[in-house]
Amino acid sequence: MNNVSVITTFFLSGFNETVSHRFVLFFLSLLCYCIICLVNVSLIVIIILDSNLHESMYILLCVFCINALYGTAGFYPRFLWDLLSDVHLISYYGCLIQTKVIYSFVCGELSILALMAYDRYVAICQPLKYHSIMTKQRVIRFACFLWFTTFCIVAVNAFLTSRLKLCSPYISTLFCVNWIIVQLACFPAQTAINAISANITIIIYLLHGVFIVWSYMYIIQTCVKSIENRAKFMQTCVPHLVSLFTFVVAVLTDIISMRLGSKELPQSLQNFVAIEFLVIPPIMNPLIYGFKLTKIRKRFYSVVILKVTNFCFIRSENSFTHS
């Protein structure tokens, strides 16, 4: 571990293109983060407070939103601070922590999507066993297990990166990325184990994707035979598929840009592609589920109507008293 002390600070050179527009970007980023917090926290609170929503599908949706808050918390506060700073520095260990948070958010998101696909598979293909298989306690245990395994997998990758001796402190992105840190190694031969670990991680989460595809093959096959199942599919599975598609496209775009992308692309475009998965899915997912799932939509409207009615009543009462 002695070689870790060679570099104690990283320079985030991706911010070089943001200097001239940093106040506009700060306002837009702050607005985006506030919206992410608002929509995700609102959905979490609605699910927790309404006992009618304490079912496996809604519990997993709550976990989904918590994971979004966790991942964005690892990026936005630091990003907003850097936008207003003249020097964009991050400590070595702060950088490793950020990579761990963001990578565990991404892997955790895919794990939760896989668990949600299994939930929909049981609900549609084995409806008589659904409530005995997907109990509230079992779903919570599944979610905790997936989070724990994701944390351990990402921790292994972060530990292997911490063993490398680095020869450059410059990171060409807006935040710390494990693959880019590995590329800064002085001796490429030392990174062989990192590549093996990264490939194993990719295979594990590709299998999550295969499982999701397998689940939906059976779901679609079952839905074709029943009008009732088709209605259930449109209501509960379509939001899941949209969330999956949005997330996978955002992450794949970032991976392709990072590993195969050309340096001829403008830095501003590279920056947008890099943070796309931290902007679009955390905002879209709660909105998609909130408007599509009937129980959540009704609960949300009832809360809003109640608040507006109370507000109008208080205002009218105050006006009457003053008059």
Side-chain angles (χ1 to χ4, degrees):
M1 297 293 291
N2 295 331
N3 55 7
V4 171
S5 61
V6 172
I7 290 178
T8 58
T9 305
F10 288 109
F11 296 86
L12 300 173
S13 58
F15 282 95
N16 294 341
E17 291 294 320
T18 67
V19 174
S20 57
H21 308 289
R22 61 179 178 171
F23 294 110
V24 174
L25 290 173
F26 175 83
F27 172 76
L28 292 175
S29 300
L30 180 61
L31 178 64
C32 180
Y33 188 44
C34 289
I35 293 172
I36 289 171
C37 291
L38 176 64
V39 294
N40 283 280
V41 170
S42 298
L43 209 55
I44 292 169
V45 171
I46 286 173
I47 293 170
I48 290 175
L49 295 183
D50 191 342
S51 58
N52 294 322
L53 298 177
H54 293 178
E55 301 173 6
S56 61
M57 180 174 67
Y58 301 105
I59 292 171
L60 290 175
L61 179 55
C62 185
V63 172
F64 204 43
C65 292
I66 292 171
N67 191 62
L69 292 174
Y70 162 73
T72 52
F75 170 71
Y76 279 97
R78 176 76 207 189
F79 178 65
L80 292 168
W81 174 268
D82 283 330
L83 282 174
L84 297 181
S85 301
D86 294 323
V87 182
H88 310 111
L89 301 175
I90 185 169
S91 68
Y92 179 87
Y93 289 106
C95 192
L96 289 180
I97 291 171
Q98 188 179 56
T99 62
K100 189 171 182 178
V101 171
I102 293 176
Y103 275 59
S104 58
F105 154 69
V106 172
C107 296
E109 194 94 339
L110 193 54
S111 296
I112 297 166
L113 286 168
L115 187 53
M116 293 171 85
Y118 179 69
D119 175 77
R120 291 300 84 207
Y121 163 75
V122 178
I124 294 174
C125 300
Q126 301 180 34
L128 298 179
K129 299 180 180 179
Y130 179 66
H131 292 291
S132 61
I133 295 175
M134 301 302 290
T135 63
K136 183 168 67 174
Q137 293 76 14
R138 187 171 292 170
V139 168
I140 293 172
R141 285 200 294 268
F142 278 154
C144 291
F145 173 76
L146 289 175
W147 258 337
F148 177 74
T149 53
T150 295
F151 184 84
C152 291
I153 289 169
V154 174
V156 169
N157 283 276
F159 170 74
L160 292 175
T161 301
S162 70
R163 297 168 61 251
L164 299 175
K165 182 176 181 179
L166 307 179
C167 287
S168 174
Y170 293 96
I171 295 176
S172 59
T173 55
L174 299 170
F175 58 93
C176 295
V177 179
N178 190 67
W179 177 252
I180 293 178
I181 298 174
V182 170
Q183 289 181 314
L184 300 177
C186 298
F187 307 105
Q190 291 183 343
T191 65
I193 190 171
N194 294 77
I196 293 170
S197 177
N199 288 331
I200 292 172
T201 303
I202 290 170
I203 291 170
I204 289 171
Y205 289 97
L206 279 176
L207 291 175
H208 283 58
V210 171
F211 176 77
I212 294 171
V213 172
W214 173 83
S215 299
Y216 271 97
M217 285 175 60
Y218 277 90
I219 290 172
I220 293 170
Q221 186 179 0
T222 304
C223 288
V224 169
K225 303 173 184 177
S226 168
I227 296 175
E228 182 184 350
N229 283 335
R230 282 202 291 270
K232 190 184 291 186
F233 177 88
M234 292 302 296
Q235 185 181 13
T236 62
C237 295
V238 168
H240 179 256
L241 287 174
V242 173
S243 297
L244 176 66
F245 177 78
T246 304
F247 176 73
V248 169
V249 168
V251 171
L252 285 180
T253 304
D254 179 42
I255 292 173
I256 292 170
S257 173
M258 181 174 59
R259 297 211 175 196
L260 304 175
S262 171
K263 293 185 177 180
E264 296 175 1
L265 290 175
Q267 183 65 47
S268 56
L269 180 59
Q270 293 182 42
N271 288 343
F272 174 75
V273 170
I275 66 172
E276 186 182 1
F277 70 97
L278 290 161
V279 177
I280 298 175
I283 292 178
M284 281 189 61
N285 292 339
L287 295 177
I288 292 168
Y289 280 99
F291 284 111
K292 188 65 179 174
L293 297 180
T294 305
K295 284 187 178 181
I296 291 179
R297 186 173 66 249
K298 287 182 177 178
R299 179 60 179 164
F300 177 77
Y301 286 156
S302 66
V303 170
V304 171
I305 291 170
L306 180 63
K307 292 293 184 184
V308 171
T309 303
N310 288 339
F311 176 76
C312 293
F313 177 76
I314 292 170
R315 289 293 299 270
S316 62
E317 192 178 50
N318 290 339
S319 300
F320 179 78
T321 303
H322 291 316
S323 62

